[in-house]
Amino acid sequence: MERGKMAEAESLETAAEHERILREIESTDTACIGPTLRSVYDGEEHGRFMEKLETRIRNHDREIEKMCNFHYQGFVDSITELLKVRGEAQKLKNQVTDTNRKLQHEGKELVIAMEELKQCRLQQRNISATVDKLMLCLPVLEMYSKLRDQMKTKRHYPALKTLEHLEHTYLPQVSHYRFCKVMVDNIPKLREEIKDVSMSDLKDFLESIRKHSDKIGETAMKQAQQQRNLDNIILQQPRIGSKRKPKKDAYTIFDTEIGSTSPKSEQDSGILDVEDEEDDEEVPGAQDLVDFSPVYRCLHIYSVLGARETFENYYRKQRRKQARLVLQPPSNMHETLDGYRKYFNQIVGFFVVEDHILHTTQGLVNRAYIDELWEMALSKTIAALRTHSSYCSDPNLVLDLKNLIVLFADTLQVYGFPVNQLFDMLLEIRDQYSETLLKKWSGIFRNILDSDNYSPIPVTSEEIYKKVVGQFPFQDTELEKQPFPKKFPFSEFVPKVYNQIKEFIYACLKFSEDLHLSSTEVDDMIRKSTNLLLTRTLSSSLQNVIKRKNIGLTELVQIIINTTHLEKSCKYLEEFITNITNVLPETVHTTKLYGTTTFKDARHAAEEEIYTNLNQKIDQFLQLADYDWMTGDLGNKASDYLVDLIAFLRSTFAVFTHLPGKVAQTACMSACKHLATSLMQLLLEAEVRQLTLGALQQFNLDVRECEQFARSGPVPGFQEDTLQLAFIDLRQST
């Protein structure tokens, strides 16, 4: 029973499942029916399902049949109406076909006209499009043509600007055309061409200023000289209003503007032709001789092209090379002043150009670069001047060189270059100048002393007397009262030597001018140099004259007189130096002149030479002595040789009247002592072993002659029998 209920329950579930599957098949899309059918075949009741499916199909067929039977009459009526409409449609078709044929026939000409119109409109549209495209292309072509013209006329900086506009403004608008691509491909080449040509212009400029740097420097130094002359005039005439023209600014920008596009400025090589100016006309500015536009153009071109650093490095490298060439002095520079002048002109020209570049460009050169070049130039210039000036033996050339160096330093100082080392070096050259002066004056003194007659200067008129007194500071009231003709006590070399000493002082003063030295420094320099002249040069010349073998006693006496007067004139030399330097001798650290010492030494040497010379003369007379120590004759007069000797001594001491008393007395006493000593030696010779009374009588007469000479007072100033004491030993021996 239970089994039967279970079977019945399963049958109901199966029937319900089949019903669900059938509904799903009816409502589901055909593509998705596969899973549904699979569920049927997966089960075991597909036979029963097929039966249910057949039953469902038959039900649907009956429903379709009912529906068709219900609408059949309407379908028949529709077919009938459709047949009627088909006939009418055929008629309409025929009418439309006929109308179309007529329309085609009638509209053929219109179609042809429309085709023509279409072609015209197409052409018009194409022409308009072409015009529009050409309007876009024409500015490009015009700019390119302008670029080529600018390149052809060497207006490179404007060409570069045109190239920039062409590349960034015009070509992007027509970039799809082939000719534009060709232009775009040529742009780098054009840039390189502009760079190369502008660099070529720069090279020409550098070469040109290298060749013309001496002209630039000469002009700058002329300007500095003019300015210094004007300053001196203003200092000399402080109350007179200056009418000088205003000085041109050292950094005036030239007429050629940076970036100028004029063909003239583009083709300018860098140096403008300027004729030599007359002396009374204003010298043109040094920079006015130079057109710097090639530098400016090249700098801007490289800046625009992003290669400014390359340009700066190239420019500085080339200028350093040129600086080394400029600073290399010619081997024969020391021979003439023109050699030094050309050397200085080139250096000044170089730095004038660099200074102008520094102040008219931004960063092409900087102060550190200029200072580095100047330090190198300063060291090389000073070394060259030391070397070449050492070869110079002409003081006039050394003085001219000093003036040229001062002008060189002043010129560069105007442009802001430090020149202290040059003035320090001039102090070294000053010592060399002093040496050359001393050598020159050594020859002058030698000529004066050699040509002097060593006799007092005769004066026959008041005019000649005043002339001599004007040349040498001499005052003698007694001499002034004497009538003409009369004589000065000194010879001609005294005023000549005195004037030459003054000339030497003037020469020293000339060198000290414009050295920016204080009056004390100038005074000290002059005094030191003058001391060297007196103690070394003049002293040596006097000593050489005094030591000459053929010099006579008269000349030695005159030298003593001359040096005495020169010694007295030293105070006037002191005053002379004080007047030209405005430094009082009482000033602290003021060097004193050593002239008195020089002349005293010379006088003492002359005195010693007089003593020696007198003794030599006495010896010469004594060599004539011929005593016969064995004679038996009794003589009644002094020996001839001794008489001649005494006569010589009297005439000699008569010349000593102008000598200082002490000198004459010393000379006389020295001569008498030497004579007494020499006679004693004759008496005591080893060969004289015995004497006769006659020989002693003759010797006694000679001694008496000597004593008589001593008593006669050949030189005034001796006390009583002082001079006779020289022969006391000789008298005791006889």
Side-chain angles (χ1 to χ4, degrees), residues 705-722:
E705 186 70 20
C706 292
E707 291 174 339
Q708 180 62 33
F709 169 74
R711 282 193 298 269
S712 67
V715 174
F718 285 108
Q719 295 180 357
E720 298 179 355
D721 297 334
T722 303

PDB file of all heavy atoms in Angstrom, residues 705-722:
ATOM      1  N   GLU A 705     175.190 128.751   2.873  1.00  0.00           N
ATOM      2  CA  GLU A 705     174.236 129.192   1.837  1.00  0.00           C
ATOM      3  C   GLU A 705     172.821 128.745   2.205  1.00  0.00           C
ATOM      4  O   GLU A 705     171.856 129.497   2.030  1.00  0.00           O
ATOM      5  CB  GLU A 705     174.652 128.624   0.480  1.00  0.00           C
ATOM      6  CG  GLU A 705     173.836 129.127  -0.692  1.00  0.00           C
ATOM      7  CD  GLU A 705     174.096 130.599  -1.004  1.00  0.00           C
ATOM      8  OE1 GLU A 705     175.142 131.132  -0.586  1.00  0.00           O
ATOM      9  OE2 GLU A 705     173.247 131.221  -1.663  1.00  0.00           O
ATOM     10  N   CYS A 706     172.756 127.527   2.719  1.00  0.00           N
ATOM     11  CA  CYS A 706     171.433 127.009   3.128  1.00  0.00           C
ATOM     12  C   CYS A 706     170.892 127.807   4.308  1.00  0.00           C
ATOM     13  O   CYS A 706     169.699 128.149   4.355  1.00  0.00           O
ATOM     14  CB  CYS A 706     171.553 125.532   3.495  1.00  0.00           C
ATOM     15  SG  CYS A 706     171.916 124.449   2.114  1.00  0.00           S
ATOM     16  N   GLU A 707     171.762 128.134   5.266  1.00  0.00           N
ATOM     17  CA  GLU A 707     171.317 128.887   6.433  1.00  0.00           C
ATOM     18  C   GLU A 707     170.915 130.309   6.038  1.00  0.00           C
ATOM     19  O   GLU A 707     169.944 130.866   6.571  1.00  0.00           O
ATOM     20  CB  GLU A 707     172.423 128.913   7.480  1.00  0.00           C
ATOM     21  CG  GLU A 707     172.676 127.571   8.116  1.00  0.00           C
ATOM     22  CD  GLU A 707     173.876 127.573   9.043  1.00  0.00           C
ATOM     23  OE1 GLU A 707     174.731 128.465   8.901  1.00  0.00           O
ATOM     24  OE2 GLU A 707     173.963 126.685   9.910  1.00  0.00           O
ATOM     25  N   GLN A 708     171.654 130.852   5.077  1.00  0.00           N
ATOM     26  CA  GLN A 708     171.303 132.184   4.593  1.00  0.00           C
ATOM     27  C   GLN A 708     169.918 132.176   3.941  1.00  0.00           C
ATOM     28  O   GLN A 708     169.127 133.097   4.116  1.00  0.00           O
ATOM     29  CB  GLN A 708     172.366 132.656   3.591  1.00  0.00           C
ATOM     30  CG  GLN A 708     172.126 134.040   3.014  1.00  0.00           C
ATOM     31  CD  GLN A 708     172.132 135.135   4.074  1.00  0.00           C
ATOM     32  OE1 GLN A 708     172.861 135.043   5.074  1.00  0.00           O
ATOM     33  NE2 GLN A 708     171.328 136.164   3.880  1.00  0.00           N
ATOM     34  N   PHE A 709     169.670 131.093   3.189  1.00  0.00           N
ATOM     35  CA  PHE A 709     168.340 130.946   2.559  1.00  0.00           C
ATOM     36  C   PHE A 709     167.259 130.864   3.624  1.00  0.00           C
ATOM     37  O   PHE A 709     166.190 131.486   3.513  1.00  0.00           O
ATOM     38  CB  PHE A 709     168.333 129.700   1.669  1.00  0.00           C
ATOM     39  CG  PHE A 709     166.953 129.315   1.188  1.00  0.00           C
ATOM     40  CD1 PHE A 709     166.315 130.043   0.193  1.00  0.00           C
ATOM     41  CD2 PHE A 709     166.283 128.213   1.732  1.00  0.00           C
ATOM     42  CE1 PHE A 709     165.053 129.680  -0.245  1.00  0.00           C
ATOM     43  CE2 PHE A 709     165.026 127.856   1.300  1.00  0.00           C
ATOM     44  CZ  PHE A 709     164.404 128.586   0.308  1.00  0.00           C
ATOM     45  N   ALA A 710     167.527 130.104   4.691  1.00  0.00           N
ATOM     46  CA  ALA A 710     166.533 129.954   5.762  1.00  0.00           C
ATOM     47  C   ALA A 710     166.304 131.279   6.473  1.00  0.00           C
ATOM     48  O   ALA A 710     165.177 131.622   6.849  1.00  0.00           O
ATOM     49  CB  ALA A 710     166.986 128.884   6.746  1.00  0.00           C
ATOM     50  N   ARG A 711     167.407 132.078   6.682  1.00  0.00           N
ATOM     51  CA  ARG A 711     167.255 133.353   7.375  1.00  0.00           C
ATOM     52  C   ARG A 711     166.541 134.408   6.525  1.00  0.00           C
ATOM     53  O   ARG A 711     165.920 135.328   7.045  1.00  0.00           O
ATOM     54  CB  ARG A 711     168.630 133.878   7.786  1.00  0.00           C
ATOM     55  CG  ARG A 711     169.215 133.209   9.005  1.00  0.00           C
ATOM     56  CD  ARG A 711     170.393 133.989   9.530  1.00  0.00           C
ATOM     57  NE  ARG A 711     171.473 134.055   8.554  1.00  0.00           N
ATOM     58  CZ  ARG A 711     172.465 133.193   8.467  1.00  0.00           C
ATOM     59  NH1 ARG A 711     172.506 132.161   9.296  1.00  0.00           N
ATOM     60  NH2 ARG A 711     173.409 133.333   7.560  1.00  0.00           N
ATOM     61  N   SER A 712     166.592 134.222   5.207  1.00  0.00           N
ATOM     62  CA  SER A 712     165.986 135.214   4.300  1.00  0.00           C
ATOM     63  C   SER A 712     164.466 135.199   4.326  1.00  0.00           C
ATOM     64  O   SER A 712     163.820 136.080   3.755  1.00  0.00           O
ATOM     65  CB  SER A 712     166.489 134.996   2.872  1.00  0.00           C
ATOM     66  OG  SER A 712     165.997 133.756   2.374  1.00  0.00           O
ATOM     67  N   GLY A 713     163.901 134.188   4.961  1.00  0.00           N
ATOM     68  CA  GLY A 713     162.426 134.115   5.045  1.00  0.00           C
ATOM     69  C   GLY A 713     161.762 133.910   3.696  1.00  0.00           C
ATOM     70  O   GLY A 713     160.999 134.767   3.246  1.00  0.00           O
ATOM     71  N   PRO A 714     162.034 132.802   3.001  1.00  0.00           N
ATOM     72  CA  PRO A 714     161.430 132.555   1.678  1.00  0.00           C
ATOM     73  C   PRO A 714     159.899 132.465   1.736  1.00  0.00           C
ATOM     74  O   PRO A 714     159.221 132.773   0.762  1.00  0.00           O
ATOM     75  CB  PRO A 714     162.051 131.228   1.241  1.00  0.00           C
ATOM     76  CG  PRO A 714     162.461 130.566   2.526  1.00  0.00           C
ATOM     77  CD  PRO A 714     162.859 131.662   3.451  1.00  0.00           C
ATOM     78  N   VAL A 715     159.413 132.055   2.906  1.00  0.00           N
ATOM     79  CA  VAL A 715     157.954 131.972   3.104  1.00  0.00           C
ATOM     80  C   VAL A 715     157.639 132.710   4.385  1.00  0.00           C
ATOM     81  O   VAL A 715     158.232 132.415   5.433  1.00  0.00           O
ATOM     82  CB  VAL A 715     157.469 130.508   3.192  1.00  0.00           C
ATOM     83  CG1 VAL A 715     155.997 130.465   3.554  1.00  0.00           C
ATOM     84  CG2 VAL A 715     157.719 129.796   1.883  1.00  0.00           C
ATOM     85  N   PRO A 716     156.764 133.691   4.340  1.00  0.00           N
ATOM     86  CA  PRO A 716     156.453 134.437   5.559  1.00  0.00           C
ATOM     87  C   PRO A 716     155.694 133.587   6.571  1.00  0.00           C
ATOM     88  O   PRO A 716     155.046 132.602   6.213  1.00  0.00           O
ATOM     89  CB  PRO A 716     155.573 135.595   5.049  1.00  0.00           C
ATOM     90  CG  PRO A 716     154.981 135.091   3.775  1.00  0.00           C
ATOM     91  CD  PRO A 716     155.993 134.174   3.156  1.00  0.00           C
ATOM     92  N   GLY A 717     155.827 133.965   7.846  1.00  0.00           N
ATOM     93  CA  GLY A 717     155.056 133.301   8.890  1.00  0.00           C
ATOM     94  C   GLY A 717     155.888 132.521   9.868  1.00  0.00           C
ATOM     95  O   GLY A 717     155.363 132.086  10.912  1.00  0.00           O
ATOM     96  N   PHE A 718     157.179 132.273   9.582  1.00  0.00           N
ATOM     97  CA  PHE A 718     158.032 131.528  10.514  1.00  0.00           C
ATOM     98  C   PHE A 718     158.477 132.452  11.654  1.00  0.00           C
ATOM     99  O   PHE A 718     158.735 133.638  11.444  1.00  0.00           O
ATOM    100  CB  PHE A 718     159.252 130.955   9.800  1.00  0.00           C
ATOM    101  CG  PHE A 718     158.951 129.758   8.946  1.00  0.00           C
ATOM    102  CD1 PHE A 718     158.969 129.852   7.568  1.00  0.00           C
ATOM    103  CD2 PHE A 718     158.648 128.533   9.532  1.00  0.00           C
ATOM    104  CE1 PHE A 718     158.707 128.764   6.779  1.00  0.00           C
ATOM    105  CE2 PHE A 718     158.387 127.436   8.739  1.00  0.00           C
ATOM    106  CZ  PHE A 718     158.397 127.543   7.363  1.00  0.00           C
ATOM    107  N   GLN A 719     158.584 131.910  12.809  1.00  0.00           N
ATOM    108  CA  GLN A 719     159.049 132.673  13.974  1.00  0.00           C
ATOM    109  C   GLN A 719     160.579 132.658  14.028  1.00  0.00           C
ATOM    110  O   GLN A 719     161.188 131.590  14.083  1.00  0.00           O
ATOM    111  CB  GLN A 719     158.470 132.088  15.257  1.00  0.00           C
ATOM    112  CG  GLN A 719     156.961 132.216  15.360  1.00  0.00           C
ATOM    113  CD  GLN A 719     156.427 131.610  16.649  1.00  0.00           C
ATOM    114  OE1 GLN A 719     157.200 131.048  17.441  1.00  0.00           O
ATOM    115  NE2 GLN A 719     155.129 131.737  16.847  1.00  0.00           N
ATOM    116  N   GLU A 720     161.186 133.816  13.988  1.00  0.00           N
ATOM    117  CA  GLU A 720     162.627 134.018  14.136  1.00  0.00           C
ATOM    118  C   GLU A 720     163.448 132.985  13.358  1.00  0.00           C
ATOM    119  O   GLU A 720     163.394 132.943  12.135  1.00  0.00           O
ATOM    120  CB  GLU A 720     163.010 134.005  15.626  1.00  0.00           C
ATOM    121  CG  GLU A 720     162.352 135.126  16.417  1.00  0.00           C
ATOM    122  CD  GLU A 720     162.713 135.103  17.881  1.00  0.00           C
ATOM    123  OE1 GLU A 720     163.399 134.147  18.310  1.00  0.00           O
ATOM    124  OE2 GLU A 720     162.301 136.034  18.597  1.00  0.00           O
ATOM    125  N   ASP A 721     164.145 132.094  14.095  1.00  0.00           N
ATOM    126  CA  ASP A 721     165.055 131.154  13.428  1.00  0.00           C
ATOM    127  C   ASP A 721     164.467 129.759  13.304  1.00  0.00           C
ATOM    128  O   ASP A 721     165.202 128.769  13.270  1.00  0.00           O
ATOM    129  CB  ASP A 721     166.376 131.076  14.210  1.00  0.00           C
ATOM    130  CG  ASP A 721     167.099 132.412  14.223  1.00  0.00           C
ATOM    131  OD1 ASP A 721     166.876 133.205  13.279  1.00  0.00           O
ATOM    132  OD2 ASP A 721     167.861 132.645  15.157  1.00  0.00           O
ATOM    133  N   THR A 722     163.138 129.643  13.221  1.00  0.00           N
ATOM    134  CA  THR A 722     162.504 128.315  13.172  1.00  0.00           C
ATOM    135  C   THR A 722     162.978 127.533  11.961  1.00  0.00           C
ATOM    136  O   THR A 722     163.290 126.331  12.050  1.00  0.00           O
ATOM    137  CB  THR A 722     160.974 128.452  13.139  1.00  0.00           C
ATOM    138  OG1 THR A 722     160.557 129.193  14.283  1.00  0.00           O
ATOM    139  CG2 THR A 722     160.316 127.094  13.112  1.00  0.00           C
TER     140      THR A 722
END
